[in-house]
Amino acid sequence: MSAGRDDRGAGSFAREFSLEATRPSAADITALAGILARGTQLYLSAVPTQSFARHVEVAAATRRAGLEPVAHLPARRFASAGELADVLARMRGDADLRCVLTVAGDAAAAGPFPDALALIQGGKLREAGIEEVGIAGYPEGHPSITADKLEAALDQKIAAARAAGLNVHIVSQFSFDPDAIVAWLARLRKCGITVPVKVGMAGPTSIPSLLRYAKRCGVGASLKGLVSGAATSLLGHVGPDRIIDALAAAKGEIGAAHPHYFSFGGVVATARYAHETSQKAAAAHAVTAS
């Protein structure tokens, strides 16, 4: 946390949150259970080098720890509809999985699902016991997809999810630019997109780590601002305080939105930060409301 920060600005925005983890260990999950409230959503990345069997095991361990697993479903990795059905059946049986995040995945399509839309339309998620689906959003755009195509795809995926009887939310790519995030959310709401948004942000970590992940994920515009703003503290750690405060100040302009923390600095350290920020926001809100 930043020294001297006024947490009254975090308001209701920071009180609810979700986290994303990549290959969390058994020790990580045990530690998270001791930090986070029961039912906190833990999004589980589907790493190409990790088997679907292991993906199921991690989701099951997350459920046993009292947290809510949200498994990434990389559309292009499924060689057939049958493989997807098998993974979903195991996820449902072993982890009581109810929510997934659909992503295209970076590899070429191995089967019938070339993108997240195809998986939502033809993956029979509702029949497999899935109740809610997350879809990706890009506050700073996508390096290989035009803005018009991104907007069209967002509309199509929301419509497809609703047609399939699924609740839907958006999970955004992380950004370091509060103004860009607020403007993007405002555009969504003006276009009539009212679904909840989980705003991606990097949990506290070192500047070199953030630079590495930002370049890998194509977060270009706000990367420049991060570098210039952090030039005097390249060896220190930074967190998303500025983003949290800016989104809290935007209030009704951004609609239903809450933090979604990427754990580049370690999932346990990120969980501690998220929990402490949530607790301070709740306490400040209680004082304001009294």
Side-chain angles (χ1 to χ4, degrees):
M1 301 292 292
S2 298
R5 179 185 173 208
D6 183 354
D7 287 283
R8 290 175 297 176
S12 62
F13 173 75
R15 284 185 288 161
E16 298 178 29
F17 62 88
S18 52
L19 279 81
E20 187 149 325
T22 300
R23 289 184 292 199
S25 66
D28 288 336
I29 293 172
T30 298
L32 293 176
I35 297 169
L36 303 172
R38 290 187 64 84
T40 299
Q41 288 186 320
L42 182 65
Y43 285 62
L44 303 170
S45 299
V47 183
T49 55
Q50 176 180 278
S51 69
F52 283 128
R54 179 57 183 161
H55 205 30
V56 173
E57 291 173 1
V58 174
T62 299
R63 173 66 71 190
R64 289 194 299 271
L67 304 174
E68 186 72 25
V70 180
H72 286 208
L73 292 183
R76 295 173 185 160
R77 280 188 59 193
F78 293 103
S80 66
E83 182 180 33
L84 172 62
D86 178 64
V87 170
L88 288 173
R90 284 186 284 159
M91 283 283 191
R92 182 65 174 175
D94 294 354
D96 191 21
L97 191 73
R98 303 163 196 167
C99 183
V100 297
L101 176 66
T102 56
V103 296
D106 295 330
F113 306 114
D115 51 35
L117 176 61
L119 192 147
I120 294 170
Q121 291 174 325
K124 298 182 178 180
L125 302 181
R126 193 71 183 87
E127 293 88 334
I130 301 303
E131 300 169 2
E132 183 165 346
V133 61
I135 58 178
Y138 299 90
E140 294 188 43
H142 191 284
S144 59
I145 304 174
T146 66
D148 289 345
K149 287 185 178 180
L150 282 177
E151 291 177 9
L154 201 59
D155 287 337
Q156 290 171 337
K157 284 184 276 191
I158 291 172
R162 287 174 170 163
L166 297 162
N167 294 321
V168 60
H169 64 270
I170 296 169
V171 179
S172 80
Q173 173 63 281
F174 70 94
S175 171
F176 305 116
D177 186 342
D179 294 336
I181 298 171
V182 171
W184 174 72
L185 286 167
R187 285 197 305 274
L188 291 183
R189 303 319 185 192
K190 287 179 182 178
C191 291
I193 297 176
T194 59
V195 301
V197 177
K198 296 176 183 291
V199 180
M201 54 187 74
T205 188
S206 68
I207 294 294
S209 292
L210 289 182
L211 296 178
R212 183 170 62 253
Y213 281 107
K215 289 177 181 177
R216 184 182 305 172
C217 297
V219 181
S222 64
L223 176 59
K224 296 177 183 178
L226 174 69
V227 173
S228 63
T232 59
S233 57
L234 288 177
L235 298 179
H237 278 58
V238 295
D241 293 355
R242 290 189 310 122
I243 296 173
I244 290 172
D245 289 339
L247 290 168
K251 297 180 180 177
E253 184 181 358
I254 64 172
H258 295 287
H260 178 73
Y261 296 102
F262 290 85
S263 52
F264 302 142
V267 68
V268 175
T270 301
R272 290 195 186 99
Y273 170 87
H275 175 70
E276 291 170 4
T277 300
S278 173
Q279 293 295 102
K280 290 181 179 180
H285 180 79
V287 170
T288 303
S290 64

PDB file of all heavy atoms in Angstrom, residues 187-220:
ATOM      1  N   ARG A 187     -17.438   3.675 -22.123  1.00  0.00           N
ATOM      2  CA  ARG A 187     -17.893   3.345 -23.486  1.00  0.00           C
ATOM      3  C   ARG A 187     -18.774   2.105 -23.490  1.00  0.00           C
ATOM      4  O   ARG A 187     -19.796   2.057 -24.183  1.00  0.00           O
ATOM      5  CB  ARG A 187     -16.687   3.121 -24.409  1.00  0.00           C
ATOM      6  CG  ARG A 187     -15.970   4.379 -24.841  1.00  0.00           C
ATOM      7  CD  ARG A 187     -15.072   4.134 -26.058  1.00  0.00           C
ATOM      8  NE  ARG A 187     -14.107   3.067 -25.857  1.00  0.00           N
ATOM      9  CZ  ARG A 187     -12.912   3.231 -25.300  1.00  0.00           C
ATOM     10  NH1 ARG A 187     -12.547   4.434 -24.865  1.00  0.00           N
ATOM     11  NH2 ARG A 187     -12.073   2.214 -25.175  1.00  0.00           N
ATOM     12  N   LEU A 188     -18.373   1.100 -22.724  1.00  0.00           N
ATOM     13  CA  LEU A 188     -19.200  -0.101 -22.633  1.00  0.00           C
ATOM     14  C   LEU A 188     -20.597   0.237 -22.156  1.00  0.00           C
ATOM     15  O   LEU A 188     -21.607  -0.223 -22.736  1.00  0.00           O
ATOM     16  CB  LEU A 188     -18.572  -1.110 -21.661  1.00  0.00           C
ATOM     17  CG  LEU A 188     -17.272  -1.812 -22.044  1.00  0.00           C
ATOM     18  CD1 LEU A 188     -16.896  -2.813 -20.964  1.00  0.00           C
ATOM     19  CD2 LEU A 188     -17.399  -2.512 -23.386  1.00  0.00           C
ATOM     20  N   ARG A 189     -20.684   1.038 -21.103  1.00  0.00           N
ATOM     21  CA  ARG A 189     -21.995   1.351 -20.523  1.00  0.00           C
ATOM     22  C   ARG A 189     -22.828   2.193 -21.482  1.00  0.00           C
ATOM     23  O   ARG A 189     -24.042   1.993 -21.613  1.00  0.00           O
ATOM     24  CB  ARG A 189     -21.815   2.060 -19.180  1.00  0.00           C
ATOM     25  CG  ARG A 189     -20.999   1.302 -18.129  1.00  0.00           C
ATOM     26  CD  ARG A 189     -21.309  -0.190 -18.078  1.00  0.00           C
ATOM     27  NE  ARG A 189     -20.609  -0.876 -16.990  1.00  0.00           N
ATOM     28  CZ  ARG A 189     -20.531  -2.186 -16.882  1.00  0.00           C
ATOM     29  NH1 ARG A 189     -21.071  -2.975 -17.808  1.00  0.00           N
ATOM     30  NH2 ARG A 189     -19.901  -2.758 -15.868  1.00  0.00           N
ATOM     31  N   LYS A 190     -22.195   3.126 -22.191  1.00  0.00           N
ATOM     32  CA  LYS A 190     -22.926   3.952 -23.158  1.00  0.00           C
ATOM     33  C   LYS A 190     -23.440   3.120 -24.323  1.00  0.00           C
ATOM     34  O   LYS A 190     -24.453   3.469 -24.951  1.00  0.00           O
ATOM     35  CB  LYS A 190     -22.028   5.079 -23.670  1.00  0.00           C
ATOM     36  CG  LYS A 190     -21.798   6.186 -22.653  1.00  0.00           C
ATOM     37  CD  LYS A 190     -20.885   7.278 -23.206  1.00  0.00           C
ATOM     38  CE  LYS A 190     -20.638   8.356 -22.158  1.00  0.00           C
ATOM     39  NZ  LYS A 190     -19.705   9.408 -22.658  1.00  0.00           N
ATOM     40  N   CYS A 191     -22.746   2.019 -24.631  1.00  0.00           N
ATOM     41  CA  CYS A 191     -23.177   1.123 -25.711  1.00  0.00           C
ATOM     42  C   CYS A 191     -24.228   0.115 -25.244  1.00  0.00           C
ATOM     43  O   CYS A 191     -24.645  -0.753 -26.025  1.00  0.00           O
ATOM     44  CB  CYS A 191     -21.981   0.375 -26.276  1.00  0.00           C
ATOM     45  SG  CYS A 191     -20.824   1.407 -27.199  1.00  0.00           S
ATOM     46  N   GLY A 192     -24.633   0.214 -23.986  1.00  0.00           N
ATOM     47  CA  GLY A 192     -25.670  -0.670 -23.474  1.00  0.00           C
ATOM     48  C   GLY A 192     -25.176  -1.981 -22.901  1.00  0.00           C
ATOM     49  O   GLY A 192     -25.977  -2.874 -22.602  1.00  0.00           O
ATOM     50  N   ILE A 193     -23.872  -2.127 -22.749  1.00  0.00           N
ATOM     51  CA  ILE A 193     -23.320  -3.343 -22.144  1.00  0.00           C
ATOM     52  C   ILE A 193     -23.296  -3.149 -20.633  1.00  0.00           C
ATOM     53  O   ILE A 193     -22.479  -2.391 -20.104  1.00  0.00           O
ATOM     54  CB  ILE A 193     -21.908  -3.641 -22.683  1.00  0.00           C
ATOM     55  CG1 ILE A 193     -21.979  -3.922 -24.192  1.00  0.00           C
ATOM     56  CG2 ILE A 193     -21.277  -4.819 -21.941  1.00  0.00           C
ATOM     57  CD1 ILE A 193     -20.627  -4.130 -24.846  1.00  0.00           C
ATOM     58  N   THR A 194     -24.189  -3.826 -19.951  1.00  0.00           N
ATOM     59  CA  THR A 194     -24.369  -3.610 -18.517  1.00  0.00           C
ATOM     60  C   THR A 194     -23.854  -4.762 -17.661  1.00  0.00           C
ATOM     61  O   THR A 194     -23.984  -4.720 -16.440  1.00  0.00           O
ATOM     62  CB  THR A 194     -25.858  -3.390 -18.205  1.00  0.00           C
ATOM     63  OG1 THR A 194     -26.608  -4.546 -18.629  1.00  0.00           O
ATOM     64  CG2 THR A 194     -26.388  -2.161 -18.930  1.00  0.00           C
ATOM     65  N   VAL A 195     -23.274  -5.782 -18.280  1.00  0.00           N
ATOM     66  CA  VAL A 195     -22.821  -6.940 -17.507  1.00  0.00           C
ATOM     67  C   VAL A 195     -21.693  -6.539 -16.565  1.00  0.00           C
ATOM     68  O   VAL A 195     -20.968  -5.568 -16.827  1.00  0.00           O
ATOM     69  CB  VAL A 195     -22.355  -8.088 -18.431  1.00  0.00           C
ATOM     70  CG1 VAL A 195     -23.489  -8.530 -19.345  1.00  0.00           C
ATOM     71  CG2 VAL A 195     -21.135  -7.688 -19.242  1.00  0.00           C
ATOM     72  N   PRO A 196     -21.536  -7.250 -15.462  1.00  0.00           N
ATOM     73  CA  PRO A 196     -20.435  -6.929 -14.540  1.00  0.00           C
ATOM     74  C   PRO A 196     -19.083  -7.055 -15.208  1.00  0.00           C
ATOM     75  O   PRO A 196     -18.884  -7.894 -16.089  1.00  0.00           O
ATOM     76  CB  PRO A 196     -20.595  -7.967 -13.425  1.00  0.00           C
ATOM     77  CG  PRO A 196     -22.020  -8.423 -13.510  1.00  0.00           C
ATOM     78  CD  PRO A 196     -22.373  -8.361 -14.965  1.00  0.00           C
ATOM     79  N   VAL A 197     -18.152  -6.215 -14.759  1.00  0.00           N
ATOM     80  CA  VAL A 197     -16.790  -6.247 -15.291  1.00  0.00           C
ATOM     81  C   VAL A 197     -15.804  -6.457 -14.151  1.00  0.00           C
ATOM     82  O   VAL A 197     -15.855  -5.747 -13.145  1.00  0.00           O
ATOM     83  CB  VAL A 197     -16.436  -4.948 -16.034  1.00  0.00           C
ATOM     84  CG1 VAL A 197     -14.980  -4.991 -16.522  1.00  0.00           C
ATOM     85  CG2 VAL A 197     -17.379  -4.716 -17.210  1.00  0.00           C
ATOM     86  N   LYS A 198     -14.951  -7.432 -14.313  1.00  0.00           N
ATOM     87  CA  LYS A 198     -13.843  -7.642 -13.387  1.00  0.00           C
ATOM     88  C   LYS A 198     -12.629  -6.968 -14.022  1.00  0.00           C
ATOM     89  O   LYS A 198     -12.155  -7.414 -15.082  1.00  0.00           O
ATOM     90  CB  LYS A 198     -13.626  -9.132 -13.148  1.00  0.00           C
ATOM     91  CG  LYS A 198     -14.830  -9.796 -12.463  1.00  0.00           C
ATOM     92  CD  LYS A 198     -14.603 -11.285 -12.331  1.00  0.00           C
ATOM     93  CE  LYS A 198     -15.829 -11.950 -11.724  1.00  0.00           C
ATOM     94  NZ  LYS A 198     -16.035 -11.600 -10.313  1.00  0.00           N
ATOM     95  N   VAL A 199     -12.182  -5.893 -13.394  1.00  0.00           N
ATOM     96  CA  VAL A 199     -11.157  -5.033 -13.988  1.00  0.00           C
ATOM     97  C   VAL A 199      -9.771  -5.599 -13.695  1.00  0.00           C
ATOM     98  O   VAL A 199      -9.322  -5.634 -12.549  1.00  0.00           O
ATOM     99  CB  VAL A 199     -11.262  -3.599 -13.454  1.00  0.00           C
ATOM    100  CG1 VAL A 199     -10.183  -2.720 -14.074  1.00  0.00           C
ATOM    101  CG2 VAL A 199     -12.647  -3.034 -13.755  1.00  0.00           C
ATOM    102  N   GLY A 200      -9.082  -6.040 -14.740  1.00  0.00           N
ATOM    103  CA  GLY A 200      -7.768  -6.627 -14.569  1.00  0.00           C
ATOM    104  C   GLY A 200      -6.730  -5.606 -14.152  1.00  0.00           C
ATOM    105  O   GLY A 200      -6.626  -4.536 -14.735  1.00  0.00           O
ATOM    106  N   MET A 201      -5.985  -5.944 -13.131  1.00  0.00           N
ATOM    107  CA  MET A 201      -4.898  -5.090 -12.667  1.00  0.00           C
ATOM    108  C   MET A 201      -3.816  -5.963 -12.048  1.00  0.00           C
ATOM    109  O   MET A 201      -4.101  -7.019 -11.488  1.00  0.00           O
ATOM    110  CB  MET A 201      -5.397  -4.037 -11.677  1.00  0.00           C
ATOM    111  CG  MET A 201      -6.170  -4.574 -10.494  1.00  0.00           C
ATOM    112  SD  MET A 201      -6.897  -3.238  -9.492  1.00  0.00           S
ATOM    113  CE  MET A 201      -8.247  -2.715 -10.544  1.00  0.00           C
ATOM    114  N   ALA A 202      -2.592  -5.533 -12.197  1.00  0.00           N
ATOM    115  CA  ALA A 202      -1.466  -6.287 -11.653  1.00  0.00           C
ATOM    116  C   ALA A 202      -1.340  -6.021 -10.163  1.00  0.00           C
ATOM    117  O   ALA A 202      -1.297  -4.872  -9.729  1.00  0.00           O
ATOM    118  CB  ALA A 202      -0.179  -5.891 -12.368  1.00  0.00           C
ATOM    119  N   GLY A 203      -1.294  -7.085  -9.382  1.00  0.00           N
ATOM    120  CA  GLY A 203      -1.041  -6.921  -7.968  1.00  0.00           C
ATOM    121  C   GLY A 203       0.365  -6.390  -7.734  1.00  0.00           C
ATOM    122  O   GLY A 203       1.177  -6.316  -8.671  1.00  0.00           O
ATOM    123  N   PRO A 204       0.682  -5.992  -6.516  1.00  0.00           N
ATOM    124  CA  PRO A 204       2.004  -5.411  -6.237  1.00  0.00           C
ATOM    125  C   PRO A 204       3.138  -6.329  -6.654  1.00  0.00           C
ATOM    126  O   PRO A 204       3.170  -7.508  -6.311  1.00  0.00           O
ATOM    127  CB  PRO A 204       1.987  -5.217  -4.713  1.00  0.00           C
ATOM    128  CG  PRO A 204       0.548  -5.146  -4.353  1.00  0.00           C
ATOM    129  CD  PRO A 204      -0.144  -6.080  -5.306  1.00  0.00           C
ATOM    130  N   THR A 205       4.061  -5.801  -7.419  1.00  0.00           N
ATOM    131  CA  THR A 205       5.228  -6.554  -7.838  1.00  0.00           C
ATOM    132  C   THR A 205       6.309  -5.586  -8.297  1.00  0.00           C
ATOM    133  O   THR A 205       6.097  -4.366  -8.279  1.00  0.00           O
ATOM    134  CB  THR A 205       4.877  -7.551  -8.962  1.00  0.00           C
ATOM    135  OG1 THR A 205       6.003  -8.395  -9.215  1.00  0.00           O
ATOM    136  CG2 THR A 205       4.478  -6.841 -10.228  1.00  0.00           C
ATOM    137  N   SER A 206       7.440  -6.102  -8.680  1.00  0.00           N
ATOM    138  CA  SER A 206       8.548  -5.238  -9.074  1.00  0.00           C
ATOM    139  C   SER A 206       8.330  -4.665 -10.465  1.00  0.00           C
ATOM    140  O   SER A 206       7.643  -5.264 -11.300  1.00  0.00           O
ATOM    141  CB  SER A 206       9.867  -6.020  -9.049  1.00  0.00           C
ATOM    142  OG  SER A 206       9.868  -7.004 -10.074  1.00  0.00           O
ATOM    143  N   ILE A 207       8.928  -3.533 -10.725  1.00  0.00           N
ATOM    144  CA  ILE A 207       8.837  -2.906 -12.036  1.00  0.00           C
ATOM    145  C   ILE A 207       9.373  -3.830 -13.136  1.00  0.00           C
ATOM    146  O   ILE A 207       8.722  -4.001 -14.168  1.00  0.00           O
ATOM    147  CB  ILE A 207       9.578  -1.555 -12.055  1.00  0.00           C
ATOM    148  CG1 ILE A 207       8.864  -0.551 -11.135  1.00  0.00           C
ATOM    149  CG2 ILE A 207       9.660  -0.998 -13.466  1.00  0.00           C
ATOM    150  CD1 ILE A 207       7.490  -0.161 -11.594  1.00  0.00           C
ATOM    151  N   PRO A 208      10.519  -4.461 -12.963  1.00  0.00           N
ATOM    152  CA  PRO A 208      10.993  -5.361 -14.025  1.00  0.00           C
ATOM    153  C   PRO A 208      10.009  -6.475 -14.357  1.00  0.00           C
ATOM    154  O   PRO A 208       9.814  -6.823 -15.522  1.00  0.00           O
ATOM    155  CB  PRO A 208      12.303  -5.923 -13.456  1.00  0.00           C
ATOM    156  CG  PRO A 208      12.793  -4.848 -12.545  1.00  0.00           C
ATOM    157  CD  PRO A 208      11.556  -4.297 -11.900  1.00  0.00           C
ATOM    158  N   SER A 209       9.354  -7.032 -13.332  1.00  0.00           N
ATOM    159  CA  SER A 209       8.371  -8.087 -13.583  1.00  0.00           C
ATOM    160  C   SER A 209       7.180  -7.546 -14.360  1.00  0.00           C
ATOM    161  O   SER A 209       6.682  -8.183 -15.296  1.00  0.00           O
ATOM    162  CB  SER A 209       7.888  -8.691 -12.261  1.00  0.00           C
ATOM    163  OG  SER A 209       8.924  -9.404 -11.626  1.00  0.00           O
ATOM    164  N   LEU A 210       6.712  -6.356 -13.979  1.00  0.00           N
ATOM    165  CA  LEU A 210       5.589  -5.760 -14.697  1.00  0.00           C
ATOM    166  C   LEU A 210       5.939  -5.485 -16.152  1.00  0.00           C
ATOM    167  O   LEU A 210       5.133  -5.709 -17.062  1.00  0.00           O
ATOM    168  CB  LEU A 210       5.155  -4.462 -14.008  1.00  0.00           C
ATOM    169  CG  LEU A 210       4.444  -4.602 -12.663  1.00  0.00           C
ATOM    170  CD1 LEU A 210       4.045  -3.228 -12.134  1.00  0.00           C
ATOM    171  CD2 LEU A 210       3.220  -5.487 -12.781  1.00  0.00           C
ATOM    172  N   LEU A 211       7.141  -4.985 -16.376  1.00  0.00           N
ATOM    173  CA  LEU A 211       7.566  -4.711 -17.749  1.00  0.00           C
ATOM    174  C   LEU A 211       7.578  -5.997 -18.576  1.00  0.00           C
ATOM    175  O   LEU A 211       7.147  -6.009 -19.738  1.00  0.00           O
ATOM    176  CB  LEU A 211       8.955  -4.073 -17.750  1.00  0.00           C
ATOM    177  CG  LEU A 211       9.075  -2.691 -17.091  1.00  0.00           C
ATOM    178  CD1 LEU A 211      10.531  -2.236 -17.128  1.00  0.00           C
ATOM    179  CD2 LEU A 211       8.192  -1.688 -17.791  1.00  0.00           C
ATOM    180  N   ARG A 212       8.055  -7.063 -17.984  1.00  0.00           N
ATOM    181  CA  ARG A 212       8.143  -8.331 -18.699  1.00  0.00           C
ATOM    182  C   ARG A 212       6.750  -8.846 -19.067  1.00  0.00           C
ATOM    183  O   ARG A 212       6.504  -9.234 -20.217  1.00  0.00           O
ATOM    184  CB  ARG A 212       8.877  -9.359 -17.831  1.00  0.00           C
ATOM    185  CG  ARG A 212       9.093 -10.699 -18.524  1.00  0.00           C
ATOM    186  CD  ARG A 212      10.021 -11.587 -17.712  1.00  0.00           C
ATOM    187  NE  ARG A 212       9.490 -11.929 -16.395  1.00  0.00           N
ATOM    188  CZ  ARG A 212       9.946 -11.434 -15.264  1.00  0.00           C
ATOM    189  NH1 ARG A 212      10.930 -10.549 -15.259  1.00  0.00           N
ATOM    190  NH2 ARG A 212       9.423 -11.804 -14.110  1.00  0.00           N
ATOM    191  N   TYR A 213       5.827  -8.831 -18.111  1.00  0.00           N
ATOM    192  CA  TYR A 213       4.481  -9.320 -18.390  1.00  0.00           C
ATOM    193  C   TYR A 213       3.727  -8.393 -19.344  1.00  0.00           C
ATOM    194  O   TYR A 213       2.962  -8.851 -20.194  1.00  0.00           O
ATOM    195  CB  TYR A 213       3.692  -9.478 -17.080  1.00  0.00           C
ATOM    196  CG  TYR A 213       4.044 -10.723 -16.322  1.00  0.00           C
ATOM    197  CD1 TYR A 213       4.793 -10.663 -15.148  1.00  0.00           C
ATOM    198  CD2 TYR A 213       3.638 -11.977 -16.782  1.00  0.00           C
ATOM    199  CE1 TYR A 213       5.127 -11.814 -14.439  1.00  0.00           C
ATOM    200  CE2 TYR A 213       3.971 -13.130 -16.074  1.00  0.00           C
ATOM    201  CZ  TYR A 213       4.705 -13.047 -14.913  1.00  0.00           C
ATOM    202  OH  TYR A 213       5.030 -14.191 -14.216  1.00  0.00           O
ATOM    203  N   ALA A 214       3.934  -7.093 -19.196  1.00  0.00           N
ATOM    204  CA  ALA A 214       3.236  -6.132 -20.062  1.00  0.00           C
ATOM    205  C   ALA A 214       3.637  -6.324 -21.518  1.00  0.00           C
ATOM    206  O   ALA A 214       2.795  -6.321 -22.419  1.00  0.00           O
ATOM    207  CB  ALA A 214       3.535  -4.709 -19.613  1.00  0.00           C
ATOM    208  N   LYS A 215       4.928  -6.498 -21.758  1.00  0.00           N
ATOM    209  CA  LYS A 215       5.392  -6.713 -23.133  1.00  0.00           C
ATOM    210  C   LYS A 215       4.829  -8.013 -23.691  1.00  0.00           C
ATOM    211  O   LYS A 215       4.417  -8.089 -24.849  1.00  0.00           O
ATOM    212  CB  LYS A 215       6.920  -6.728 -23.165  1.00  0.00           C
ATOM    213  CG  LYS A 215       7.547  -5.366 -22.921  1.00  0.00           C
ATOM    214  CD  LYS A 215       9.065  -5.466 -22.902  1.00  0.00           C
ATOM    215  CE  LYS A 215       9.700  -4.102 -22.641  1.00  0.00           C
ATOM    216  NZ  LYS A 215      11.185  -4.184 -22.544  1.00  0.00           N
ATOM    217  N   ARG A 216       4.810  -9.044 -22.876  1.00  0.00           N
ATOM    218  CA  ARG A 216       4.316 -10.349 -23.322  1.00  0.00           C
ATOM    219  C   ARG A 216       2.831 -10.289 -23.661  1.00  0.00           C
ATOM    220  O   ARG A 216       2.375 -10.972 -24.586  1.00  0.00           O
ATOM    221  CB  ARG A 216       4.557 -11.380 -22.215  1.00  0.00           C
ATOM    222  CG  ARG A 216       4.162 -12.803 -22.589  1.00  0.00           C
ATOM    223  CD  ARG A 216       4.389 -13.737 -21.411  1.00  0.00           C
ATOM    224  NE  ARG A 216       5.755 -13.691 -20.910  1.00  0.00           N
ATOM    225  CZ  ARG A 216       6.164 -14.284 -19.800  1.00  0.00           C
ATOM    226  NH1 ARG A 216       5.284 -14.949 -19.051  1.00  0.00           N
ATOM    227  NH2 ARG A 216       7.412 -14.205 -19.404  1.00  0.00           N
ATOM    228  N   CYS A 217       2.072  -9.472 -22.926  1.00  0.00           N
ATOM    229  CA  CYS A 217       0.616  -9.429 -23.104  1.00  0.00           C
ATOM    230  C   CYS A 217       0.156  -8.313 -24.030  1.00  0.00           C
ATOM    231  O   CYS A 217      -1.046  -8.110 -24.215  1.00  0.00           O
ATOM    232  CB  CYS A 217      -0.064  -9.274 -21.743  1.00  0.00           C
ATOM    233  SG  CYS A 217       0.216 -10.664 -20.632  1.00  0.00           S
ATOM    234  N   GLY A 218       1.092  -7.546 -24.584  1.00  0.00           N
ATOM    235  CA  GLY A 218       0.717  -6.516 -25.542  1.00  0.00           C
ATOM    236  C   GLY A 218       0.094  -5.289 -24.929  1.00  0.00           C
ATOM    237  O   GLY A 218      -0.688  -4.596 -25.570  1.00  0.00           O
ATOM    238  N   VAL A 219       0.396  -5.014 -23.665  1.00  0.00           N
ATOM    239  CA  VAL A 219      -0.116  -3.813 -23.011  1.00  0.00           C
ATOM    240  C   VAL A 219       0.876  -2.696 -23.281  1.00  0.00           C
ATOM    241  O   VAL A 219       1.830  -2.506 -22.539  1.00  0.00           O
ATOM    242  CB  VAL A 219      -0.305  -4.039 -21.500  1.00  0.00           C
ATOM    243  CG1 VAL A 219      -0.865  -2.798 -20.845  1.00  0.00           C
ATOM    244  CG2 VAL A 219      -1.232  -5.223 -21.261  1.00  0.00           C
ATOM    245  N   GLY A 220       0.659  -1.943 -24.351  1.00  0.00           N
ATOM    246  CA  GLY A 220       1.670  -1.011 -24.818  1.00  0.00           C
ATOM    247  C   GLY A 220       1.542   0.399 -24.299  1.00  0.00           C
ATOM    248  O   GLY A 220       2.478   0.966 -23.745  1.00  0.00           O
TER     249      GLY A 220
END
